[in-house]
């Protein structure tokens, strides 16, 4: 019995779901055979958090901090989330953008331990069997990538796994979705990145990406396996190339509970920023005109959601779509150009325009939105031209990570003489201009996808609709107070992200019930339902 007890105790310390580390109390240590396996004095979870913070404080490099936190997640999940939730604003840049971009680039060289599932296309015909190896039977959220378009960094193959892991960490840290119902997955169909194929440490399949019918059959088999094994599961598609992301979403969005955060989440947080920005600039949504730098699925997703928001305010949808225009590496998308089907609603009937500044002068947008993943394209001339046209130009360089941002906050504010209403995809520090302190907003999808996750989890929603993302955008914007607006901040402070996310989740959940999309009975108090489902990082008694 003594040997068995010791074995059980040893196993407890190596299970991230049960491990409390030094927080096991004296009774637990005796009962589970932990005596002698830990330093003798039990400590509180608060002391453990302080110790981790001290260890992080001794590290100068953000990637090293990322690795320390990843190791903590692998050995003590509760403590990991207690650390993150103690200072979400401070830890989000470490567990997600911008640090996760570097982690993905170096994935094969810093790999410590496996997390989630890796499903190679070579397992076609046996995908259900692979997914069945996951020990949790009640999976509610899968974030899945094929690694082809990781942030603005391109094809990183299996290294893209850092994105699903990071996203799901934020589902929990920012909105309280229980971590045990979350599953990160990477679909490995090969890579077209020659540096990876030549790297002896690369961990993925060593061939070019599979395309066409074989690829889509692989996706279909994956979806069928997930919906069979986890019938209450919502699939979030992440960082797929445009030519795959759009048809995948189109194929499944009306059939299963699914969404694409790059398209719909990005659109929602952009719309939230626009709603809040209009509190500063004045005017209605239907009076605005938008010019996008970048013409991929992120741009068209934002433009489409803006159009739906305008349509809800009475503008005909076709006219609303014409309020947004796209500009890419070949210039303004005009009628004489060959464009993809998803870009056609935003084509301008005009002669070709090759210069972005000329496009601004032609279209006179009230807002420019950067989703190009190419840095420094919002030049001094661009910002000055926008400022000449608008009293308070809306400048949103949304490309991630920070190294890919179209401009910095300091550049936008300085070149516009402090008039810009600014938000970016990655964080920039506050600054003072002409004696006025300005706080740049981060248009981070973290205000949207964790709250969407909690709402879907609490209601067991059948589908995720575009209307739900408009509801989310309004719920984010309505939380921005006057003090924030006076400092130029158009998103709620990230220090209150859990509170903000639960508010957004409640609004989405109410909409889900209103539209008959829930699989649970509507309670008298939706806020109480959300609260009852919210994960808190506290140690639980073991059975």
């Amino acid at each position: 019995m003594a040997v068995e007890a010791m074995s059980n105790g040893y196993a407890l310390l190596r299970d991230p779901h049960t491990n409390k580390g030094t927080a096991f109390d004296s009774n637990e240590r005796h009962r589970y055979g932990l005596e002698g396996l830990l330093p003798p004095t039990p400590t509180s979870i608060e002391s453990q958090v302080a110790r981790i913070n001290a260890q992080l404080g001794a590290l100068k490099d953000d990637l090293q901090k990322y690795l320390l936190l990843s190791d903590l997640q692998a050995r003590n999940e509760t403590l990991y989330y207690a650390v993150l939730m103690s200072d979400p604003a401070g830890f989000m840049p470490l567990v997600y953008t911008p640090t996760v971009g570097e982690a993905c680039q170096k994935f094969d060289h810093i790999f410590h331990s496996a997390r989630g599932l890796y499903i190679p296309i070579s397992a076609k015909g046996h995908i259900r069997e692979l997914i069945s190896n996951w020990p949790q039977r009640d999976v509610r959220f899968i974030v899945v990538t094929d690694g082809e378009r990781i942030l603005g960094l391109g094809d990183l193959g299996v290294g893209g796994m850092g994105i699903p892991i990071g996203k799901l960490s934020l589902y929990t840290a920012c909105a309280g979705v229980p971590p045990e119902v979350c599953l990160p997955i990477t679909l490995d169909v090969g890579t077209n990145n020659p540096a990876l194929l030549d790297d002896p440490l690369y961990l993925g399949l060593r061939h070019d990406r599979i395309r066409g019918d074989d690829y889509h059959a692989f996706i279909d088999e994956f979806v069928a396996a997930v919906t069979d094994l986890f019938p209450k599961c919502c699939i979030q598609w992440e960082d797929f190339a445009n030519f795959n992301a759009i048809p995948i979403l189109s194929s499944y969005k009306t059939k299963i509970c699914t969404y694409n955060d790059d398209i719909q989440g990005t659109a929602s947080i952009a719309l939230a920023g626009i709603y809040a920005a209009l509190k500063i600039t004045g005017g209605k949504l239907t009076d605005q005109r938008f010019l996008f730098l970048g013409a991929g699925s992120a741009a068209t997703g934002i433009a489409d959601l803006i159009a739906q928001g305008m349509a809800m305010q009475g503008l005909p949808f076709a006219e609303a779509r014409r309020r947004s225009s796209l500009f890419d590496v070949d210039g303004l998308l005009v009628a004489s150009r060959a464009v993809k089907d998803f870009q056609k609603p935003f084509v301008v009937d005009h002669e070709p325009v090759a210069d972005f500044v000329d496009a601004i002068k032609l279209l006179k947008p009230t807002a420019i939105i950067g989703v190009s993943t190419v840095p420094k394209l919002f030049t001094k001339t661009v910002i000055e031209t926008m400022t000449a046209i608008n009293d308070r130009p809306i400048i949103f360089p949304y490309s991630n990570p920070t190294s890919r941002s179209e401009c910095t906050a300091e550049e936008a504010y300085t070149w516009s003489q402090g008039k810009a209403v600014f938000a970016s995809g990655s964080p920039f520090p506050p600054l003072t201009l002409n004696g006025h302190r300005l706080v740049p907003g981060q248009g981070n999808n973290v205000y949207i996808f964790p709250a969407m996750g909690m709402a879907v989890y609490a209601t067991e929603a059948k589908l995720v609709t575009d209307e739900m993302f408009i509801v989310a955008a309004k719920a984010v914007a309505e939380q921005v107070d006057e003090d924030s607006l006076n400092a130029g901040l158009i998103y709620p402070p990230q220090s209150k992200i859990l509170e903000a996310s639960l508010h957004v989740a409640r609004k989405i959940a109410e909409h889900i019930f209103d539209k008959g999309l829930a699989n649970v009975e509507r309670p008298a108090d939706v806020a109480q339902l959300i609260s009852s489902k919210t994960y808190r990082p506290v140690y639980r008694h073991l059975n």
Side-chain angles (χ1 to χ4, degrees), residues 129-275:
E129 182 181 340
L130 266 65
I131 298 176
S132 296
N133 289 332
W134 188 249
Q136 174 61 249
R137 296 277 67 102
D138 185 24
V139 172
R140 299 296 188 87
F141 288 96
I142 287 172
V143 176
V144 59
T145 186
D146 71 354
E148 185 161 12
R149 203 227 64 181
I150 297 300
L151 302 174
L153 303 172
D155 185 349
L156 299 183
V158 294
M161 179 55 113
I163 300 298
I165 291 172
K167 283 259 176 173
L168 288 170
S169 290
L170 297 183
Y171 266 83
T172 301
C174 299
V177 177
E180 63 268 20
V181 304
C182 299
L183 172 57
I185 293 181
T186 288
L187 303 177
D188 187 357
V189 298
T191 177
N192 291 343
N193 186 332
L196 295 178
L197 293 173
D198 292 340
D199 186 346
L201 295 182
Y202 180 60
L203 293 164
L205 294 177
R206 292 178 176 274
H207 57 65
D208 289 345
R209 286 184 171 270
I210 302 299
R211 302 290 192 198
D213 291 344
D214 286 344
Y215 176 89
H216 291 289
F218 178 57
I219 296 295
D220 289 342
E221 184 183 347
F222 165 72
V223 172
V226 167
T227 53
D228 181 39
L229 289 167
F230 310 127
K232 296 180 180 180
C233 185
C234 181
I235 301 174
Q236 179 191 321
W237 308 93
E238 188 69 26
D239 286 352
F240 285 72
N242 291 337
F243 51 79
N244 287 323
I246 292 170
I248 288 172
L249 182 62
S250 298
S251 294
Y252 291 110
K253 66 184 294 187
T254 60
K255 299 174 184 175
I256 64 171
C257 186
T258 191
Y259 71 99
N260 184 306
D261 186 56
D262 301 308
I263 299 173
Q264 295 161 290
T266 298
S268 185
I269 196 59
L271 183 58
I274 292 162
Y275 282 137

Side-chain angles (χ1 to χ4, degrees), residues 323-519:
R323 299 294 176 87
S324 290
S325 305
L326 312 177
F327 190 101
D328 66 7
V329 66
D330 295 316
L332 188 67
L333 267 65
V334 296
S336 60
R337 282 185 53 182
V339 299
K340 298 181 175 67
D341 287 344
F342 70 91
Q343 298 168 326
K344 288 179 179 178
F346 309 103
V347 165
V348 177
D349 188 11
H350 194 274
E351 295 299 310
V353 179
D355 184 80
F356 190 61
V357 171
D358 290 339
I360 293 173
K361 292 176 179 177
L362 169 70
L363 299 169
K364 296 181 171 48
T366 53
I368 53 173
I369 299 175
V371 283
S372 67
T373 72
V374 180
K376 303 300 181 184
L377 293 183
F378 285 179
T379 63
K380 186 171 186 285
T381 305
V382 166
I383 303 301
E384 288 177 342
T385 304
M386 281 294 294
T387 307
I389 293 171
N390 303 282
D391 290 336
R392 299 297 304 272
I394 298 172
I395 311 294
F396 287 178
Y398 273 155
S399 290
N400 275 317
T402 308
S403 61
R404 302 298 176 110
S405 185
E406 286 81 7
C407 71
T408 68
E410 184 175 9
E411 289 167 343
Y413 288 132
T414 302
W415 295 337
S416 68
Q417 301 175 358
K419 295 179 180 180
V421 180
F422 178 90
S424 56
S426 287
F428 288 103
L431 67 152
T432 300
L433 184 68
N434 299 326
H436 183 53
R437 187 172 186 268
L438 297 166
V439 182
Q442 184 185 359
N444 192 322
N445 296 17
V446 74
Y447 290 104
I448 302 297
F449 68 82
M452 186 66 67
M454 172 50 75
V456 169
Y457 172 64
T459 62
E460 298 182 14
K462 302 169 187 175
L463 299 171
V464 178
T465 67
D466 287 341
E467 278 191 352
M468 288 159 65
F469 286 100
I470 296 175
V471 170
K474 291 179 177 177
V476 171
E478 69 190 19
Q479 296 182 78
V480 183
D481 60 25
E482 283 299 320
D483 288 342
S484 294
L485 292 173
N486 288 336
L489 181 61
I490 58 173
Y491 293 106
Q494 290 188 356
S495 59
K496 297 181 179 179
I497 189 66
L498 180 60
E499 177 186 333
S501 294
L502 294 181
H503 174 82
V504 177
R506 176 174 65 84
K507 293 287 191 176
I508 299 170
E510 289 171 349
H511 178 82
I512 290 169
F513 284 118
D514 288 345
K515 297 298 181 179
L517 294 172
N519 270 321

Side-chain angles (χ1 to χ4, degrees), residues 7 26 134 160 192 236 270 286 294 523 536:
S7 174
S26 298
W134 188 249
N192 291 343
Q236 179 191 321
T286 51
R536 312 284 179 183

Side-chain angles (χ1 to χ4, degrees), residues 5-241:
M6 181 65 75
S7 174
N8 289 339
Y10 193 82
L12 283 178
L13 293 174
R14 276 143 189 83
D15 183 342
H17 308 296
T18 59
N19 183 22
K20 302 181 184 182
T22 56
F24 281 110
D25 64 32
S26 298
N27 291 332
E28 289 171 324
R29 294 177 185 216
H30 178 73
R31 180 178 179 184
Y32 298 115
L34 289 163
E35 291 166 319
L37 299 181
L38 292 164
T41 303
T43 59
S44 67
I45 193 170
E46 291 79 13
S47 295
Q48 291 178 313
V49 170
R51 184 177 294 110
I52 295 298
N53 281 328
Q55 293 169 3
L56 289 166
L59 299 173
K60 304 302 181 187
D61 180 77
D62 283 349
L63 184 60
Q64 292 300 317
K65 294 178 182 180
Y66 173 92
L67 291 172
L68 189 153
L69 289 168
S70 295
D71 177 67
L72 177 61
Q73 186 180 23
R75 62 184 171 83
N76 187 334
E77 190 172 73
T78 303
L79 180 55
Y80 171 75
Y81 285 110
V83 170
L84 263 57
M85 296 171 85
S86 71
D87 181 17
F91 286 109
M92 271 191 279
L94 292 178
V95 300
Y96 202 60
T97 56
T99 310
V100 73
E102 183 182 0
C104 289
Q105 288 177 306
K106 298 177 178 177
F107 178 84
D108 308 288
H109 292 252
I110 63 174
F111 182 84
H112 283 185
S113 59
R115 184 172 192 83
L117 287 176
Y118 296 82
I119 303 176
I121 197 166
S122 55
K124 221 169 113 183
H126 307 283
I127 293 175
R128 190 184 190 282
E129 182 181 340
L130 266 65
I131 298 176
S132 296
N133 289 332
W134 188 249
Q136 174 61 249
R137 296 277 67 102
D138 185 24
V139 172
R140 299 296 188 87
F141 288 96
I142 287 172
V143 176
V144 59
T145 186
D146 71 354
E148 185 161 12
R149 203 227 64 181
I150 297 300
L151 302 174
L153 303 172
D155 185 349
L156 299 183
V158 294
M161 179 55 113
I163 300 298
I165 291 172
K167 283 259 176 173
L168 288 170
S169 290
L170 297 183
Y171 266 83
T172 301
C174 299
V177 177
E180 63 268 20
V181 304
C182 299
L183 172 57
I185 293 181
T186 288
L187 303 177
D188 187 357
V189 298
T191 177
N192 291 343
N193 186 332
L196 295 178
L197 293 173
D198 292 340
D199 186 346
L201 295 182
Y202 180 60
L203 293 164
L205 294 177
R206 292 178 176 274
H207 57 65
D208 289 345
R209 286 184 171 270
I210 302 299
R211 302 290 192 198
D213 291 344
D214 286 344
Y215 176 89
H216 291 289
F218 178 57
I219 296 295
D220 289 342
E221 184 183 347
F222 165 72
V223 172
V226 167
T227 53
D228 181 39
L229 289 167
F230 310 127
K232 296 180 180 180
C233 185
C234 181
I235 301 174
Q236 179 191 321
W237 308 93
E238 188 69 26
D239 286 352
F240 285 72

